[in-house]
Structure formats: C-alpha cells, structure tokens
Amino acid sequence: MQPSLTEIAKQFVSLPKVVLPLLFLLNLTSPAPVSTCQALDLGCSATATMANDYALVWLHGLGDRGRSFEMLRNDVSLSHSPCYLKTLMLTLYSCTLQFRKFISAPLHLKLPDAPLQPVDCNNGMASHSWFNIADIPIEEGAKDYPDDIATSVAKIHAYIKELHEKDGIAYNRIFVGGFSQGGALTLQAVLRHPERLGGGIVLSGWLMLPDTIGALTHASNAATQFFWGHGTRDNVVLPTMQQHGCAKLTELGHTVEMQSYPVGHSLHPKELREMVDWTKKALGDE
C-alpha cells in the first residue's frame, strides 16, 4: 500500500539531520547507482587536479557519531531505498536545488567522532560530545567550558592539517561545518586556526565564549566568512543565539550570511539549497 504523505514526512524527518546537506554537497542523489569517484570525477580522469579539490570537515551534534554518514565515503546508490523515500529525496533535490550548476570541484570529506564523555545536560550520562553542556535549551549566558572547547579545537585542527599535508588541499579551500553542538565548535575551530580557511557552515549552532572570542581569533581568520542557518522555532538552541552570534561576528569584521527558517531544531529544504549556494560562491565555483 502506498504510504500517506504523513508517513513519508516521518521517513524524511527520521533521516540523520545532516545527511541531506552532505548528499547535496556531494551531488550524489542520482536515481541510478553512482560511485563517489564517478560522481565527483575524483581519480577517474587524468585532468583531475588536487589544486581544484576542496574539503569539508563535518562535525556532528551531541550524542551522534561521524559513522552516521559513513555511507558518503563509499559507493552511494538509492536503489535499495523505499520507492517513496527515494522519490521524496529526488523531488526535494529537483525542486529546491535549481542551481545554474553544481559545485564542480572534487570534495574530500572528514567525518570525525566526538569523544565519549559525561555530559551534564544528560544527567551525567556519557555521550559522544565535543564539550560539556550544562543545560538545554542553549540560551544567552549559557555556561561554556574553555578547556573542553580547546581540546576539541585542537582535534579539528589536526584533521585540517592532515587534509592539507596528506591530501594536498589548500587551506583556503578547506571548510568546517556542523549541526548544533558541531556548529558551535565550527566557529571556534575556524576562528582559531592559524591559516586562512575557506569558511564555516553553522547550522543551528551558537557562539561560545562571546566575550573573549575576539582575542581568541587568529589574525589569519579575522575576516573569514560564515553561513549560519537556524530554525525560528528552535527550542534546543534558541533563535536569539543566532542573532547574538551573527551580530558579534559582524562586529569583529566577518561576513556572515544569516538565514532563518520556519522549523525547530532541524533543517529546512531551503536551508540546504542556500548552504550549497553559499559554498559555491565561497569557492568561486559559479
């Protein structure tokens, strides 16, 4: 029996919160089986050059794992997806991503795991977390944990260094992005990096250490650009956190594309489109 629209919507919502934007970035939503190499033209053509490549270090949210998106490393096919779910994904693709062209450069993707550690907002239970969180919702005046943040920033910087030294990706073509807790860490990792990076993608995140972030920002990234999307009905990371964070970044001299969407602590199809469009512009791939 054909599922109802409500059932289809439930299937869509149940997908990991950042699988779709990553799929769109990778341009792997073909209805036929497509390999990563084939879709990205990575290593499949003698004309492919590392100078044209770019990279994304994607940071998951509290309690999630990088392996949630491990399928993006391998050959990707929708052939085993339920017909209605595949149709929904392709419909969203065709209806919301009407770009003049997709990002043409090959993408190198890093999907690291946060360490397993006690988190106060989870009653001290161990969760995969980049840093401690005292309470939910996250609102103005939320407690920050500088040592935790610094430790995780160092880990992300190590991934960036590996992408540059081993994969040969130019620093200014390396992006960091994340959802929720991962978005909050994105800001810290980009701003503190000693080399100019391509930019940061913050989805439903927040700016930690707002009073000292100017002093913590490295001169190399004093004007680095950001995309910041947030739901207007977010009751986990309150929408005011986007407003305050973007205002602070702008005050410090950053260009921030600030977008809001009529959703809670989740993503909106328009957000995915605008995130990819912003990445294209940041790469000069238009």
Side-chain angles (χ1 to χ4, degrees):
M1 183 175 68
Q2 186 72 11
S4 67
L5 289 176
T6 299
E7 291 170 329
I8 293 176
K10 288 180 179 178
Q11 288 285 344
F12 173 65
V13 171
S14 69
L15 290 171
K17 289 185 174 65
V18 292
V19 166
L20 284 175
L22 291 174
L23 282 172
F24 295 148
L25 280 171
L26 284 165
N27 189 19
L28 295 180
T29 48
S30 168
V34 177
S35 71
T36 302
C37 181
Q38 180 184 8
L40 298 179
D41 192 29
L42 179 57
C44 301
S45 168
T47 62
T49 62
M50 300 299 285
N52 292 327
D53 294 8
Y54 74 111
L56 174 64
V57 181
W58 190 265
L59 309 177
H60 62 75
L62 175 64
D64 205 350
R65 299 286 299 277
R67 71 184 184 191
S68 296
F69 319 106
E70 193 66 34
M71 62 181 180
L72 299 177
R73 297 186 189 280
N74 307 313
D75 289 356
V76 174
S77 170
L78 295 178
S79 60
H80 300 297
S81 301
C83 181
Y84 62 88
L85 179 56
K86 177 167 63 176
T87 300
L88 174 64
M89 293 174 70
L90 294 173
T91 299
L92 283 171
Y93 173 83
S94 61
C95 290
T96 66
L97 297 179
Q98 299 300 318
F99 299 134
R100 285 185 288 122
K101 65 176 182 177
F102 289 99
I103 298 171
S104 59
L107 170 64
H108 296 241
L109 182 65
K110 287 281 187 183
L111 303 170
D113 280 348
L116 189 65
Q117 57 187 325
V119 181
D120 287 350
C121 68
N122 286 348
N123 296 317
M125 293 177 58
S127 302
H128 286 278
S129 179
W130 297 110
F131 48 82
N132 194 19
I133 297 177
D135 296 295
I136 298 292
I138 305 295
E139 54 191 346
E140 192 174 7
K143 183 177 181 180
D144 293 321
Y145 296 84
D147 291 344
D148 288 5
I149 296 168
T151 297
S152 285
V153 165
K155 291 178 180 178
I156 306 312
H157 285 183
Y159 290 119
I160 294 171
K161 182 178 181 181
E162 181 178 318
L163 284 164
H164 177 70
E165 295 186 352
K166 293 186 177 180
D167 293 0
I169 312 299
Y171 280 116
N172 64 1
R173 293 181 68 82
I174 298 176
F175 295 77
V176 183
F179 177 80
S180 191
Q181 190 189 45
L185 182 58
T186 290
L187 289 164
Q188 302 293 321
V190 172
L191 292 172
R192 301 187 194 196
H193 199 272
E195 301 287 344
R196 177 66 180 264
L197 300 179
I201 299 170
V202 182
L203 305 184
S204 303
W206 68 98
L207 178 62
M208 299 180 288
L209 306 170
D211 295 334
T212 57
I213 193 61
L216 291 168
T217 298
H218 196 281
S220 297
N221 285 290
T224 300
Q225 58 192 330
F226 292 91
F227 175 89
W228 193 325
H230 210 105
T232 58
R233 299 195 290 267
D234 195 333
N235 61 357
V236 176
V237 180
L238 300 188
T240 53
M241 298 304 288
Q242 181 197 32
Q243 298 162 17
H244 294 314
C246 289
K248 184 65 176 181
L249 290 174
T250 301
E251 174 190 322
L252 293 173
H254 300 276
T255 300
V256 184
E257 182 170 329
M258 175 182 170
Q259 300 290 352
S260 299
Y261 309 92
V263 292
H265 195 59
S266 59
L267 301 178
H268 189 278
K270 185 180 179 182
E271 183 175 16
L272 312 180
R273 180 190 68 200
E274 292 179 339
M275 178 187 71
V276 175
D277 199 24
W278 176 88
T279 305
K280 288 176 60 182
K281 291 177 182 178
L283 286 167
D285 187 37
E286 291 195 305

